[in-house]
Amino acid sequence: MDEKKLLSGNEAVARGAYEAGCRFATSYPGTPSTEILETVLREYSGINAQWATNEKVALEVGYGACLAGARTLVTMKQVGLNVAADPFFTISYTGVNGGLVIVSADEPGVHSSQNEQDNRNYAKFAKIPMLEPSDSQEALEFTKYGFALSEEFDTPVLLRLTTRICHGHSVVYPGKMQDPTLKEYKKDWRKRAMVPANALARHPEVEKRLCNLKQASESSPLNDITWKSSDVGIITSGVAYFHALEAFPQYSILKLGFSYPLPEAKIKDFTSKVKQVYLIEENDPFLEEQVRALCPSVEIHGKDLLPVVGELTPETIRVAFKGKTGIKKGLAQDALRRLPVFCPGCPHRGSFYLTKKYARVITGDIGCYGLAALPPLECMDTIICMGASVGMAEGFSKVRPLEKVLGVIGDSTFYHSGVTGLLDIYFNSATSKLVILDNSTTAMTGHQPNPGSPVNSRGEPRGINLEALVGSIGINVKSLDPLSLKDSARELEQIMNSQSGAVVIFKSPCILLPEVAKNKKSPFRIDQAACVNCKACLKLLCPALEAAEKPLIREFMCAGCGLCAQVCPKSAISGVKAQ
Ligand code: SF4
Ligand code: SF4
């Protein structure tokens, strides 16, 4: 056994895949799952790893690799599984060849997502077994076990993590790498080609597999009981296990690591030996509903006391079950939240300065530009899901053709699922306008490459020409510089007044890209004598601008984008070197 290491759950999943002999891994980045593939790319070169255009594509590519005989890892955040749901449900029927582990990284407390869904429901819905680690060591072990389970039962396996498992660090004892053999590929169209007759024939096989998995869950060491006081028996899973342990160290605990399908006999036996049961889990009453149905005569408390919203803490659990007051029921204690703003020099600042001038309704999308929806900017009307801005702008303009409606989407999100909406705009002769904020990267999740980036995950030059791509659909397209306000404003106004569909590409790289950051421009400064304190520059909401008696620029923060100089009516702002 190698030396112990301190790893995050995400790093431990990557290590587990490596030790299991995984040969292929793919993902679309999304918090809190991103670092799994980043770790594979950085540390395990034996695994053929790559970023995908979206989660559905990731699962389809991963499934192809799995059928070809490779143990395969596919990772995504919780809402990503919605995108991948179509193949996810069907590959439950078609089974695997090399083991397939699909990671869903859920976000109780929604730190960076558009909803707080509990993806344990997907396992039950798709009849796929699910494993839920509680710390990094288990993240490693459960990943390895997941591959073995997948091959033994001919099924994809869902490894469900949550934010605290993904990002929390704990001690891990890494093991040795298993031989990454490629399994033989055998044709079997009756099993793999899901025309209705074959799908109907496969469904009973899936039900049979579920019964067998129940047996495996009964005997699995991942479902473990610690006997203490029988006054209360706690049933829990994932990170909630540690919170429950801290809140009630005196009570017996059934910890479910193999949490779908449930070990029904073990649960019945456990509940029969305690006076009452506490079901401690974050978000939905996923375990509770099943346990209540299994043990109708047992006194069970769970979501009648615990919140379904947000993350749990030992304190919220203690208070919920012991009936103390003082903490707002229904919400976990929130850390102080501060509204984030665009970075100094971010090109999105210029893009939104212009778009809010010429559009009355902006349908937005997922990415760091979503900050434009928040106060004080508040210039984005909607954020629904990846790619929705495009179709929503089309729908809105079909009903209100005279309204100035604009869809706004980032480049990575456009490739993810915006491009199909754009095809619809052309196909249905819509007049809607779309802005693509092309900063050459997937900025929000930490600069993973996307099909428009100059190079792919392996450093091979593969950048797609976005302008040519959009133009090839037959839609008018214009590339503008969001840091050049006057010229871009003129063009944008013209486009917004036109009666045909159009795409504007605001092209400027993310200020935090290493190649941009290393060529940092000189800062700007305000000539206090020339400044008339009109505060026009402050409306840009650049963190480098300070609202003092008269506005000041914190030069150490200034990225030298020059936007403030362009909006100053008195030419009071200029580059430091130019003075
Ligand atoms: S030039 Fe002005 S707007 Fe740009 S980063 Fe500096 S202070 Fe902010
Ligand atoms: S826009 Fe120019 S004049 Fe107005 S407050 Fe800023 S620096 Fe002063």
Side-chain angles (χ1 to χ4, degrees), residues 505-526:
I505 302 172
F506 273 127
K507 200 167 180 53
S508 188
C510 173
I511 192 78
L512 297 180
L513 276 169
E515 59 272 27
V516 178
K518 85 169 180 246
N519 294 319
K520 195 179 170 198
K521 295 181 195 149
S522 354
F524 278 60
R525 189 176 288 164
I526 298 177

Side-chain angles (χ1 to χ4, degrees), residues 43-175:
E43 294 183 24
Y44 306 114
S45 56
I47 302 175
N48 189 352
Q50 59 192 43
W51 293 111
T53 25
N54 67 34
E55 297 83 357
K56 179 174 181 287
V57 172
L59 187 51
E60 289 158 349
V61 172
Y63 189 58
C66 138
L67 284 194
R71 282 194 164 183
T72 299
L73 180 73
V74 181
T75 70
M76 59 198 72
K77 68 182 292 172
Q78 95 280 29
V79 287
L81 196 49
N82 302 335
V83 181
D86 213 354
F88 182 73
F89 279 83
T90 303
I91 64 176
S92 171
Y93 279 37
T94 52
V96 301
N97 186 20
L100 177 63
V101 172
I102 302 162
V103 175
S104 168
D106 293 7
E107 261 202 321
V110 263
H111 302 279
S112 63
S113 303
Q114 59 270 40
N115 69 48
E116 193 181 14
Q117 70 191 47
D118 185 333
N119 277 3
R120 294 178 298 173
N121 295 297
Y122 265 117
K124 188 161 179 276
F125 197 4
K127 302 174 192 285
I128 282 175
M130 174 172 62
L131 308 177
E132 282 190 85
S134 296
D135 61 14
S136 297
Q137 179 68 45
E138 287 190 355
L140 186 156
E141 284 165 9
F142 288 19
T143 304
K144 282 164 76 172
Y145 179 72
F147 281 111
L149 190 73
S150 171
E151 287 176 3
E152 186 184 346
F153 289 90
D154 190 18
T155 176
V157 168
L158 188 69
L159 185 76
R160 193 252 188 177
L161 309 176
T162 53
T163 317
R164 303 293 151 181
I165 312 284
C166 293
H167 291 159
H169 285 67
S170 59
V171 170
V172 164
Y173 293 89

Side-chain angles (χ1 to χ4, degrees), residues 344-345 349 524 540 542 544-545 553 558-564:
R349 180 168 287 106
F524 278 60
L540 286 168
C542 174
L545 277 155
I553 292 177
C558 174
C561 72
L563 284 177
C564 53

Side-chain angles (χ1 to χ4, degrees), residues 400-468:
R400 293 182 182 272
L402 299 180
E403 195 73 84
K404 300 254 189 258
V405 183
L406 190 61
V408 175
I409 190 167
D411 52 339
S412 189
T413 313
F414 176 73
Y415 294 118
H416 177 283
S417 47
V419 69
T420 43
L422 195 62
L423 297 175
D424 202 76
I425 286 177
Y426 177 78
F427 182 62
N428 288 305
S429 317
T431 57
S432 44
K433 319 286 186 290
L434 180 70
V435 159
I436 304 176
L437 304 172
D438 182 3
N439 59 7
S440 305
T441 188
T442 314
M444 192 179 184
T445 46
H447 298 132
Q448 294 75 25
N450 64 54
S453 305
V455 295
N456 67 16
S457 328
R458 285 177 286 278
E460 299 153 351
R462 276 289 182 277
I464 283 171
N465 181 331
L466 183 56
E467 199 165 333

